[in-house]
Amino acid sequence: QICLSLVKLLFYLAHSPLGSIVLLDFQPRQFVMVDGNLKVTDMDDASTEELSCKEDNDCTLDFPTKSFPLKCSAAGKCEGINEKKNLFNAYRYFFTYLLPHSAPPALRPFLSDILNATGDLRYGINETVKAFEKVLHLYKSGLYLQKRPLLLKDYISLKGFRTVEGEDYKCWPSYSHLGCLLSVHSAEEAAAMCNSQSQCQSFIITQRRTWTGRPLALFQSSLTDLIPDANAVVYIKQSASSGKRL
């Protein structure tokens, strides 16, 4: 969410009515999340000036660990230097820390491609936005789940009940510090997640949603007290259903 919001912001800066805007003091502390969107808090160091040049050799974009040769345009300006500077700063301050973590395994190769392409400045901001939107579409639609074995058949479903939420085993990246609360596309994906966790014996799809509209599933290591709830379903591993409580 943070990275997608950032690239949309950089897309606007690259195509603003004032021209391409560069953030000269590009640091994480200069940004804040407002209603799920990343905002710049300080525009004092923003500039529309692009480096003047006479030849391509005048257009080297330097960073502490990398340098990039750029073209000198016919207008005597280093072509795309403001856009590329913003994008590489997004890569080194945000993408490298946020993109490799917590995505479903099937989506990680797509995020690695974005990471590598922005790190080498092979992608401009237009290509980067398209790549992020593709990953978001796959994530929201559940298309990344194709050709996976069906595991929900190994679970018993108890309709009209939910379990008591309490402190249980932890997992990463959980939305709750008390237990294992993860985003899922469907009960089928939740069953696959439960199977991959040795402690998990049951799960419930909660009514809570993430920013993409995906529901949160609560995974539990034991069958706690069941509470009547007309809108809920508890899914229990068949191997755990022979316990005395059930």
Side-chain angles (χ1 to χ4, degrees):
Q1 182 180 14
I2 293 171
C3 292
L4 176 64
S5 188
L6 177 59
V7 297
K8 287 182 177 179
L9 172 62
L10 297 188
F11 179 86
Y12 173 79
L13 294 178
H15 301 285
S16 84
L18 299 175
S20 183
I21 299 174
V22 63
L23 301 176
L24 298 174
D25 186 20
F26 197 115
Q27 300 282 342
R29 65 172 179 269
Q30 302 284 19
F31 299 89
V32 65
M33 291 292 284
V34 180
D35 297 328
N37 294 305
L38 206 66
K39 307 284 186 181
V40 183
T41 61
D42 185 0
M43 293 293 289
D44 289 346
D45 294 307
S47 173
T48 57
E49 291 294 320
E50 291 192 305
L51 187 64
S52 297
C53 58
K54 292 182 179 179
E55 56 184 29
D56 290 352
N57 288 339
D58 297 329
C59 294
T60 300
L61 183 56
D62 289 317
F63 293 96
T65 58
K66 275 190 176 182
S67 295
F68 300 95
L70 303 181
K71 297 289 185 182
C72 182
S73 70
K77 297 290 183 181
C78 294
E79 212 167 80
I81 192 168
N82 287 353
E83 173 187 330
K84 292 178 185 297
K85 190 170 186 178
N86 283 341
L87 190 55
F88 190 78
N89 277 326
Y91 159 81
R92 66 179 182 141
Y93 287 119
F94 287 88
F95 298 171
T96 53
Y97 297 104
L98 300 177
L99 285 188
H101 310 292
S102 78
L107 292 179
R108 288 175 194 167
F110 296 98
L111 296 178
S112 292
D113 287 344
I114 293 173
L115 194 64
N116 293 331
T118 52
D120 294 334
L121 285 184
R122 286 185 285 109
Y123 280 1
I125 191 61
N126 293 1
E127 294 89 349
T128 305
V129 169
K130 287 179 182 177
F132 268 101
E133 288 179 341
K134 177 183 178 181
V135 175
L136 180 64
H137 172 67
L138 294 172
Y139 186 60
K140 291 174 72 173
S141 65
L143 289 173
Y144 67 94
L145 295 170
Q146 290 180 346
K147 299 179 182 177
R148 295 181 62 170
L150 300 179
L151 300 172
L152 197 59
K153 59 180 173 41
D154 298 328
Y155 288 75
I156 294 172
S157 61
L158 295 179
K159 297 181 179 179
F161 292 94
R162 63 179 173 85
T163 55
V164 176
E165 290 191 30
E167 191 165 353
D168 207 320
Y169 77 93
K170 312 296 191 299
C171 67
W172 190 87
S174 177
Y175 283 80
S176 169
H177 67 281
L178 294 176
C180 187
L181 187 66
L182 299 173
S183 159
V184 298
H185 176 261
S186 62
E188 186 62 56
E189 184 180 20
M193 289 181 175
C194 188
N195 273 25
S196 70
Q197 299 167 3
S198 60
Q199 305 100 312
C200 184
Q201 295 299 315
S202 65
F203 66 87
I204 180 173
I205 309 295
T206 73
Q207 298 299 307
R208 282 169 280 179
R209 302 268 169 174
T210 69
W211 66 280
T212 59
R214 286 163 56 100
L216 294 177
L218 178 67
F219 300 88
Q220 295 181 306
S221 61
S222 60
L223 294 175
T224 58
D225 293 332
L226 298 178
I227 301 173
D229 186 334
N231 299 315
V233 181
V234 179
Y235 297 90
I236 305 165
K237 277 184 180 177
Q238 290 190 26
S239 59
S241 64
S242 58
K244 293 180 180 178
R245 295 187 66 83
L246 189 61

